[in-house]
Amino acid sequence: MPQIIPYIHDNLHTSWQKELADVVTDPSVLLKMLDIDPNVYQTHFSARKLFPVRVPKPFIARMVKGDIDDPLLKQVMPLSAEFIETQGYSADPLAEHETVAEGLLHKYTHRVLMIVKAGCAINCRYCFRRHFPYADNSPNKQRWQQALDYIAEHQEINEVIFSGGDPLMANDQHLQWLIAQIERISHVKRLRIHSRLPVVIPQRITSELVNMLANTRLKSTLVFHINHPNEIDEQFANAIEPLRQARIPLFNQSVLLKGINDEVSTLCLLSEQLFDHGIQPYYLHLFDKVQGVAHFDISEQQAQSLVKNMMATLPGFLMPKVVREIAGEANKTPIKLA
């Protein structure tokens, strides 16, 4: 039987910053940790020049030793297929490279998306922002102020979404300052944080973070990014419990990925496990057609078939909205069943 890597964590001595400083960046090291011969992947390693490898050890601990097809491993391992230029795919599939202020996207009428931090704890190979010009939108307080001024000037904005990169790469003090500034803008009612960091480094859910989200006047929600049920373990469940106790709404969005979660049983199990842990399945995104990773994509017809079978299996409240994001559209586009 395959063995799960043992990973012992002491919350009193290991902070999320220490885990962040100790991520694995060499694919050969990652494979050795999993008892996989690096020579099996050697011809693919050059793809990390296109997009660096970053994998936190708590996430590696959920991978199955010896399994080259592990669904978590496949999300982070570089492949030579990333060098292939595919027609119909682009570096900016959602037309996000034009910002209204540095680090601020205003794609939808009543909400804006703020690039709070440029980096991520983990580099997912399918990332739709892997080509985003973060160097031109690298956040700091001066650039945040430009975004805040824009939000204050636009009365129609009632929700601010923290994104990135990963917004929880910012420390709690910086987040507290930023939230306090947004609280002063009277027409903003809601704060939404989209983050994968608590999934890959559960220690990121600090008491300070929980308290600031629970005590702000803004209605705050946290949206995780979990693609596979194996990403949910006891450590993650324990970490999010204070958020549940603070009655902070928790949601999840996933990306439909070929060879990783494109099976009805996997997607249904994911919805069941999310709900068991107090997380509402929210969105299942069809793949954004970003250049270099077309090998993760499946056809819309395949997606429709998956959706039909999921609906036949899951109760309605566990069925995520299946959508595609199309550049220039005023909202996400639901996938219609054939």
Side-chain angles (χ1 to χ4, degrees):
M1 291 288 292
Q3 297 294 312
I4 300 293
I5 300 173
Y7 180 79
I8 300 172
H9 163 65
D10 182 348
N11 279 305
L12 296 177
H13 298 99
T14 307
S15 70
W16 68 273
Q17 291 97 333
K18 287 182 180 179
E19 292 287 4
L20 197 60
D22 195 31
V23 299
V24 174
T25 58
D26 186 334
S28 63
V29 171
L30 172 57
L31 292 175
K32 288 177 182 178
M33 292 175 68
L34 295 169
D35 291 344
I36 297 172
D37 183 357
N39 291 324
V40 174
Y41 260 103
Q42 192 70 46
T43 57
H44 298 287
F45 289 170
S46 58
R48 62 177 169 162
K49 297 176 183 177
L50 299 173
F51 192 45
V53 171
R54 285 181 61 85
V55 195
K57 290 181 179 177
F59 192 72
I60 298 172
R62 297 169 220 167
M63 299 177 187
V64 178
K65 277 191 171 184
D67 185 0
I68 200 168
D69 291 317
D70 179 88
L72 277 59
L73 174 63
K74 291 171 76 172
Q75 293 182 57
V76 298
M77 278 300 295
L79 293 176
S80 55
E82 294 175 35
F83 287 99
I84 298 173
E85 295 282 326
T86 306
Q87 188 175 0
Y89 293 72
S90 72
D92 185 19
L94 303 185
E96 291 187 334
H97 292 190
E98 291 296 327
T99 54
V100 294
E102 286 193 58
L104 191 72
L105 300 170
H106 193 177
K107 298 196 293 184
Y108 305 129
T109 303
H110 298 294
R111 53 200 184 274
V112 290
L113 186 146
M114 181 181 289
I115 305 294
V116 174
K117 291 294 284 186
C120 287
I122 188 168
N123 280 354
C124 304
R125 304 312 297 181
Y126 54 86
C127 179
F128 70 94
R129 290 196 183 122
R130 59 186 279 156
H131 305 292
F132 188 81
Y134 286 116
D136 299 329
N137 293 276
S138 183
N140 55 40
K141 283 190 176 182
Q142 180 180 357
R143 287 172 172 168
W144 280 347
Q145 189 58 57
Q146 295 175 17
L148 292 166
D149 291 344
Y150 178 92
I151 295 168
E153 292 166 2
H154 289 75
Q155 297 282 327
E156 72 275 16
I157 297 171
N158 59 26
E159 181 176 19
V160 175
I161 302 169
F162 285 178
S163 187
D166 195 308
L168 293 187
M169 292 283 280
N171 64 41
D172 290 335
Q173 292 73 28
H174 287 162
L175 288 174
Q176 184 66 72
W177 179 88
L178 186 54
I179 291 172
Q181 306 311 304
I182 294 172
E183 284 179 320
R184 296 175 183 174
I185 304 173
S186 61
H187 53 267
V188 177
K189 299 178 181 179
R190 294 186 300 275
L191 171 67
R192 196 189 327 167
I193 299 176
H194 286 207
S195 180
R196 187 150 165 79
L197 212 162
V199 180
V200 299
I201 302 180
Q203 297 95 307
R204 182 60 188 94
I205 304 297
T206 62
S207 57
E208 291 81 6
L209 177 64
V210 175
N211 287 334
M212 78 173 74
L213 296 180
N215 295 321
T216 175
R217 75 155 181 87
L218 304 169
K219 180 63 177 178
S220 58
T221 61
L222 187 53
V223 182
F224 299 119
H225 176 181
I226 303 171
N227 294 319
H228 194 280
N230 291 2
E231 296 177 36
I232 302 171
D233 67 352
E234 184 178 2
Q235 189 184 26
F236 173 69
N238 291 338
I240 66 171
E241 185 58 30
L243 293 167
R244 295 179 61 182
Q245 293 179 4
R247 296 184 178 180
I248 296 167
L250 306 176
F251 298 91
N252 183 66
Q253 56 181 355
S254 307
V255 180
L256 191 51
L257 300 165
K258 184 178 181 179
I260 293 173
N261 62 5
D262 57 336
E263 293 184 356
V264 173
S265 59
T266 300
L267 292 169
C268 289
L269 180 59
L270 175 58
S271 282
E272 295 278 3
Q273 288 195 9
L274 287 169
F275 194 74
D276 286 348
H277 291 88
I279 304 169
Q280 182 65 43
Y282 176 34
Y283 277 134
L284 176 59
H285 288 269
L286 266 65
F287 188 77
D288 294 316
K289 294 186 178 298
V290 62
Q291 190 61 261
V293 285
H295 50 280
F296 284 115
D297 205 358
I298 70 170
S299 70
E300 189 159 321
Q301 291 71 28
Q302 289 174 290
Q304 289 170 333
S305 176
L306 285 170
V307 172
K308 282 184 179 179
N309 286 289
M310 288 176 68
M311 292 178 67
T313 304
L314 291 171
F317 63 90
L318 291 188
M319 186 68 200
K321 296 178 182 177
V322 184
V323 298
R324 182 187 293 282
E325 190 157 3
I326 300 173
E329 292 294 320
N331 52 265
K332 291 179 174 61
T333 303
I335 297 304
K336 297 180 180 179
L337 298 183

